[in-house]
Amino acid sequence: MSALHLPFDAEEMLAGLRPWIECESPTWDAGAVSRMMDLAARDLSAIGATVETVPGTRGFGTSIRATFPHADQGKPGILVSGHMDTVHPLGTLEKLPFRVQDGKAWGPGIMDMKGGNYVFLEAMRQIARGGLTTPLPVTFLFTPDEEVGTPATRGLIEDAARGQRAVLLPEPALPDGGAVIGRYAIARFDLLTHGRPSHAGWALKDGRSAIAAMARRILEIEAMTTEDCTFSVGVIHAGQWVNCVASECRAEVLSMAKTQADLDRGVAAMLALQGERDGVEFTVTRGVTRPVWEPQPGTMALYDLARDLSAQIGFDLSSDRSGGGSDGNFTGAMGVPTLDSIGVRGRGLHTLDEHIEIDSLPERARLAAGLLTRII
């Protein structure tokens, strides 16, 4: 039997995926993410994988590495790289419960990216059930910190990818269903304004508000956005008492650039903002960075194979570079053939409308099975 004709069943896949969605796993809750890893480890073990739990570091949850039996175990093969953390805090299920309606399924993390991870697990399950084999050894690596830039597990991912024939990332498909063959550079910055406290009622003029200073800086930073390099502030923390002039304010900036040169200019512009203004000190600290991933021949060969398989399945797989970062930035920048965003189709990722198109589960599982059995 061809891998493209394995008996993938959408309802069975939904039933298997539901416990993953109902196991909430926000990045900053290490215990919750580790519980999700335990659940995935159980399911991977049940289909014959040997699963190793990698302890978490820097306050993040555990990772898991699963290897499947293969005569050439230890030789270059295929790495399936995914993350199990989500942006949704604990309790999101109350607002975004798992539900199915009109050919769609909702739930926190179902699109980004538990649905895609489960698709590849199901592909390996059906490959084994169908008596098929993969030409190359297959390893799954699921990590806990992608949504915050992968500060703790970048080295783990790069070590796992080094020397592999291919890296496959079941991140959500592009809006038109396409795959990603390259990604722009991403940089994060931590901002701090340090002012002077005072009583906001009877000594307001004695203070120097870190919040007001940060607000002005945010407008200045976001105004630096161009078509080639963007800046956005997505996190801000400050203040404890409304009757106190805040002495500290912290914020986080995300910058995206199309080329490394654009990113370097953006980084320089951010760092140049540091200094004192009107009695408030402003500090910029560069955080985690995702390198530019440019499409290379190995990646394009992977894409050509995936597009051929997709045509046999019954859909056209487009391709594009993406402004959003992923762990594919790391493996692609290393020069390892990498194909990204071959996971489920859907809409609303990172929102309370996050959902997938149910018919994309068997569709993408067939694509996954085809890739796993055709990459040599």
Side-chain angles (χ1 to χ4, degrees):
M1 176 186 295
S2 164
L4 301 185
H5 297 94
L6 289 168
F8 293 105
D9 183 272
E11 295 304 317
E12 289 182 6
M13 293 179 72
L14 270 180
L17 176 59
R18 180 172 184 170
W20 286 25
I21 306 309
E22 294 183 335
C23 184
E24 295 179 286
S25 52
T27 309
W28 293 116
D29 191 321
V33 177
S34 295
R35 286 192 293 274
M36 180 61 238
M37 294 295 182
D38 290 342
L39 183 57
R42 182 200 69 185
D43 289 349
L44 285 162
S45 296
I47 64 172
T50 299
V51 183
E52 173 191 3
T53 297
V54 182
T57 60
R58 299 177 63 175
F60 294 100
T62 57
S63 300
I64 57 173
R65 181 167 44 223
T67 56
F68 291 85
H70 198 278
D72 294 327
Q73 194 63 53
K75 295 183 179 180
I78 300 170
L79 174 67
V80 176
S81 177
H83 66 88
M84 286 296 188
D85 61 314
T86 78
V87 301
H88 300 284
L90 291 181
T92 299
L93 278 170
E94 296 177 9
K95 301 176 181 178
L96 179 59
F98 178 88
R99 65 184 177 94
V100 175
Q101 182 180 340
D102 299 329
K104 301 174 183 176
W106 280 260
I110 195 168
M111 181 181 177
D112 188 14
M113 61 179 291
K114 293 181 181 180
N117 291 339
Y118 191 85
V119 157
F120 270 74
L121 182 149
E122 184 65 18
M124 288 300 293
R125 187 201 319 270
Q126 294 297 341
I127 286 169
R129 282 183 178 176
L132 305 178
T133 58
T134 62
L136 300 176
V138 175
T139 300
F140 280 33
L141 178 64
F142 291 150
T143 51
D145 58 339
E146 191 272 349
E147 294 292 2
V148 294
T150 320
T153 61
R154 175 176 178 172
L156 183 67
I157 293 166
E158 290 176 338
D159 287 345
R162 193 166 287 112
Q164 298 282 19
R165 298 280 184 84
V167 177
L168 305 176
L169 290 98
E171 288 276 4
L174 292 174
D176 67 351
V180 167
I181 54 172
R183 289 188 181 271
Y184 302 154
I186 302 288
R188 296 175 184 239
F189 301 88
D190 296 317
L191 311 181
L192 171 65
T193 48
H194 195 276
R196 186 167 70 228
S198 69
H199 192 288
W202 60 269
L204 178 61
K205 291 183 179 179
D206 293 342
R208 294 293 182 270
S209 172
I211 293 175
M214 182 65 80
R216 289 188 286 270
R217 292 288 190 171
I218 288 172
L219 294 176
E220 183 179 359
I221 289 167
E222 295 200 340
M224 290 166 30
T225 291
T226 67
E227 286 295 318
D228 298 319
C229 188
T230 63
F231 299 87
S232 62
V233 178
V235 176
I236 186 167
H237 298 287
Q240 290 181 300
W241 307 99
V242 72
N243 59 348
C244 295
V245 173
S247 60
E248 278 195 1
C249 182
R250 298 178 183 274
E252 297 177 33
V253 175
L254 184 74
S255 178
M256 182 278 294
K258 294 181 178 180
T259 69
Q260 191 61 49
D262 291 331
L263 185 71
D264 291 343
R265 284 190 288 270
V267 169
M270 282 294 301
L271 296 178
L273 295 175
Q274 297 188 97
E276 184 179 335
R277 188 182 294 174
D278 298 327
V280 179
E281 187 69 28
F282 183 53
T283 304
V284 179
T285 304
R286 185 174 176 178
V288 294
T289 301
R290 295 190 187 276
V292 172
W293 164 30
E294 297 281 359
Q296 298 179 10
T299 289
M300 296 313 298
L302 271 183
Y303 167 67
D304 288 342
L305 172 60
R307 189 174 189 187
D308 178 65
L309 292 168
S310 300
Q312 296 178 54
I313 295 167
F315 69 99
D316 180 49
L317 184 71
S318 64
S319 68
D320 203 353
R321 296 179 67 201
S322 174
S326 86
D327 293 331
N329 284 76
F330 304 137
T331 62
M334 292 170 65
V336 182
T338 298
L339 189 61
D340 201 344
S341 291
I342 48 175
V344 291
R345 291 181 281 107
R347 290 289 187 276
L349 73 167
H350 292 197
T351 76
L352 293 178
D353 188 43
E354 184 166 344
H355 64 273
I356 64 170
E357 298 175 22
I358 295 173
D359 63 3
S360 72
L361 290 171
E363 171 192 281
R364 297 304 163 123
R366 289 190 173 89
L367 175 59
L371 287 166
L372 292 167
T373 56
R374 288 280 302 277
I375 296 172
I376 57 175

